[in-house]
Amino acid sequence: MIRIPFTEDFNIKEYEKQISFISSAITGYKIENRTLLVNFDDSCEAGELEQRIRRSMQGFLEKKDTGNPEVLAENKRRQNYTSRERILNGTYIKSYGDGRIAFKDKAVWLFEYFDSVFRQFALELGAQEERYPVLLPVKAYADTGYLRNSPQYSMFCCDAMEDMEVMQHLGTVETRTGKDLINPANYALSPSACFSVYESYRGQTLPENCTITLCQNVFRNEGRFNWKDFGRLRDYHVREIVFIGSREYVTTLRKRIMDKTIEYMKQTGLTGTLESSADHFIIPQMQKFKMIQMQKKLKYEWKLSVSEMEEMAVASFNLHGFNFTRSFGISVNGTETITGCVGFGLERMVLAFLSQFGLESSRWPEEVRRSERNRKNDGR
């Protein structure tokens, strides 16, 4: 076992998200008395692994101070939370324990209800609705920059080799992962819903600013030790709203969506905050971008309470600058074109809502119960 002490000001809770990606030799860890205890197998030498862990911790420490977040809105109320155990072991939701989750009955209705709410946000801004394939070409994935910035999320799709002799061996679990049985990956499962939009509009000069909305499956490998976190999912749905146009257009519409979100939070009585934030980069040299995101207010998150001490990010509001318009050759005629996006995580919305208002619809806010009554009256 490797033992590495850390100081009181070291943010071990955030650092835990990185431990899965330091080495596949790590088989488990725990925190005791401000000491990180790491178990590992014999595929790695202890001294070498300890150095790697210490380097990653040092890189984490050397990041610039991001300062306190800017809180745009906060809504609080006294409430009795429903435990995650009751939610995940109830009649509406099934957790498989590995970042996958299934909904039925009222959870399905809440999923569809929240999607309709956020879809309406987009339509009121004149958004056009589009639908895209789940698979994203690897070249498009590389062009987004995510393979440099956040490679930990990557999930690739490989075809079986088109060889009858080879395909006969695919039925056995022991050989299914053999490199000699599959072709190199040409597609990935996208970790962000907006990537398909940029690939679709690649090389185009648009006549005017535009907003696109879609509901898309997204996929993220958050690390084998992180699936225990409530709401940490490898496969989930996002109601996405993408802005392409001038800086004024994109920033104005992002703010209007944030204003609609704040109004909805207060209208329903959801307990949460909307505040500036930064992405969770694990690459040491990317840590400086957290400070840039915070200082320039490039990212805001809507966080909802799921217990007295915990909250869950259910939506993000992002400005990308020229990152995607330059990589994909997208422009609006006569305009310095940037992009921005808003993503509402639908499974997380359901989990946070049930945490606050419980499994019995009689406790739900009037705004939600009214929609449920209308649905029943419509025979849906």
Side-chain angles (χ1 to χ4, degrees):
M1 178 182 288
I2 296 172
R3 299 172 180 268
I4 303 179
F6 53 87
T7 58
E8 187 175 0
D9 61 348
F10 186 78
N11 190 341
I12 188 64
K13 187 171 180 61
E14 185 177 352
Y15 180 74
E16 282 186 83
K17 297 182 177 69
Q18 304 189 26
I19 295 174
S20 297
F21 304 103
I22 295 171
S23 171
S24 59
I26 297 175
T27 58
Y29 75 93
K30 59 182 177 179
I31 312 295
E32 284 185 359
N33 301 321
R34 290 212 296 272
T35 302
L36 174 63
L37 309 176
V38 179
N39 294 315
F40 59 98
D41 60 30
D42 58 6
S43 65
C44 186
E45 194 271 329
E48 176 191 348
L49 181 58
E50 180 173 348
Q51 288 182 3
R52 291 175 68 173
I53 297 171
R54 289 185 179 276
R55 283 197 301 268
S56 71
M57 294 179 79
Q58 186 61 36
F60 189 79
L61 276 171
E62 290 174 351
K63 68 180 183 181
K64 301 293 185 181
D65 182 16
T66 57
N68 295 321
E70 176 194 21
V71 178
L72 292 186
E74 186 174 34
N75 197 47
K76 292 184 177 180
R77 68 182 180 91
R78 295 176 61 88
Q79 59 186 312
N80 296 317
Y81 290 94
T82 301
S83 70
R84 67 184 64 185
E85 290 77 19
R86 188 173 175 218
I87 291 171
L88 297 179
N89 296 323
T91 57
Y92 307 141
I93 296 177
K94 177 180 177 63
S95 172
Y96 297 96
D98 58 358
R100 296 179 302 133
I101 199 168
F103 285 177
K104 60 181 178 180
D105 202 340
K106 289 184 180 180
V108 173
W109 180 82
L110 282 171
F111 178 100
E112 294 174 346
Y113 162 73
F114 286 123
D115 184 42
S116 69
V117 169
F118 305 134
R119 176 177 179 268
Q120 189 61 33
F121 285 2
L123 296 180
E124 288 173 359
L125 298 182
Q128 59 192 41
E129 187 152 28
E130 300 182 357
R131 298 188 73 81
Y132 292 100
V134 167
L135 296 179
L136 182 73
V138 168
K139 182 185 185 315
Y141 192 8
D143 288 344
T144 66
Y146 250 55
L147 289 176
R148 296 190 308 273
N149 303 341
S150 300
Q152 74 273 20
Y153 294 144
S154 302
M155 297 173 69
F156 296 99
C157 297
C158 301
D159 300 327
M161 291 185 65
E162 294 179 339
D163 185 308
M164 190 62 70
E165 294 296 321
V166 169
M167 287 190 287
Q168 291 184 61
H169 298 288
L170 289 175
T172 58
V173 175
E174 292 77 10
T175 60
R176 195 180 302 151
T177 57
K179 293 180 181 179
D180 56 340
L181 303 180
I182 56 178
N183 290 314
N186 291 316
Y187 296 93
L189 298 172
S190 181
S192 186
C194 61
F195 291 172
S196 294
V197 177
Y198 308 135
E199 171 66 2
S200 177
Y201 284 81
R202 184 190 289 272
Q204 295 189 33
T205 298
L206 307 176
E208 58 186 3
N209 299 324
C210 69
T211 300
I212 298 109
T213 188
L214 60 150
C215 184
Q216 185 83 351
N217 282 79
V218 295
F219 306 83
R220 294 189 177 190
N221 174 26
E222 298 275 7
R224 61 192 182 280
F225 301 134
N226 295 322
W227 304 125
K228 64 183 183 300
D229 294 350
F230 190 45
R232 189 71 59 190
L233 302 174
R234 70 167 74 232
D235 174 2
Y236 57 101
H237 296 76
V238 173
R239 168 53 65 174
E240 191 85 356
I241 308 169
V242 181
F243 314 114
I244 304 174
S246 68
R247 187 173 300 276
E248 179 183 9
Y249 175 81
V250 172
T251 56
T252 297
L253 265 62
R254 182 181 74 152
K255 183 179 184 304
R256 288 176 64 183
I257 292 291
M258 289 195 291
D259 289 343
K260 287 177 178 291
T261 302
I262 293 168
E263 180 183 0
Y264 179 76
M265 177 170 64
K266 294 179 177 178
Q267 180 182 0
T268 55
L270 283 160
T271 298
T273 60
L274 201 154
E275 62 186 32
S276 58
S277 187
D279 288 310
H280 297 291
F281 299 111
I282 67 164
I283 303 300
Q285 57 267 34
M286 292 300 299
Q287 297 296 333
K288 63 183 178 181
F289 288 101
K290 292 184 179 181
M291 180 183 66
I292 295 172
Q293 284 183 312
M294 292 290 283
Q295 288 181 341
K296 295 188 175 183
K297 306 296 189 294
L298 300 180
K299 184 182 188 70
Y300 287 85
E301 286 187 329
W302 184 24
K303 298 177 180 179
L304 295 179
S305 299
V306 294
S307 72
E308 292 291 346
M309 302 297 295
E310 297 174 282
E311 58 186 10
M312 177 190 294
V314 298
S316 64
F317 310 80
N318 310 284
L319 296 178
H320 309 134
F322 301 108
N323 289 352
F324 298 126
T325 53
R326 287 175 177 168
S327 296
F328 289 86
I330 304 169
S331 63
V332 172
N333 194 26
T335 300
E336 273 199 324
T337 309
I338 70 166
T339 64
C341 74
V342 174
F344 294 94
L346 299 177
E347 282 86 354
R348 282 192 161 202
M349 275 299 307
V350 174
L351 293 174
F353 179 87
L354 293 176
S355 296
Q356 293 191 21
F357 294 105
L359 301 174
E360 300 300 324
S361 55
S362 59
R363 290 182 52 198
W364 295 357
E366 175 58 27
E367 163 75 16
V368 181
R369 286 189 286 121
R370 182 168 57 249
S371 295
E372 187 184 28
R373 287 195 300 268
N374 292 339
R375 173 207 183 200
K376 290 179 179 177
N377 292 336
D378 291 342
R380 291 184 286 119

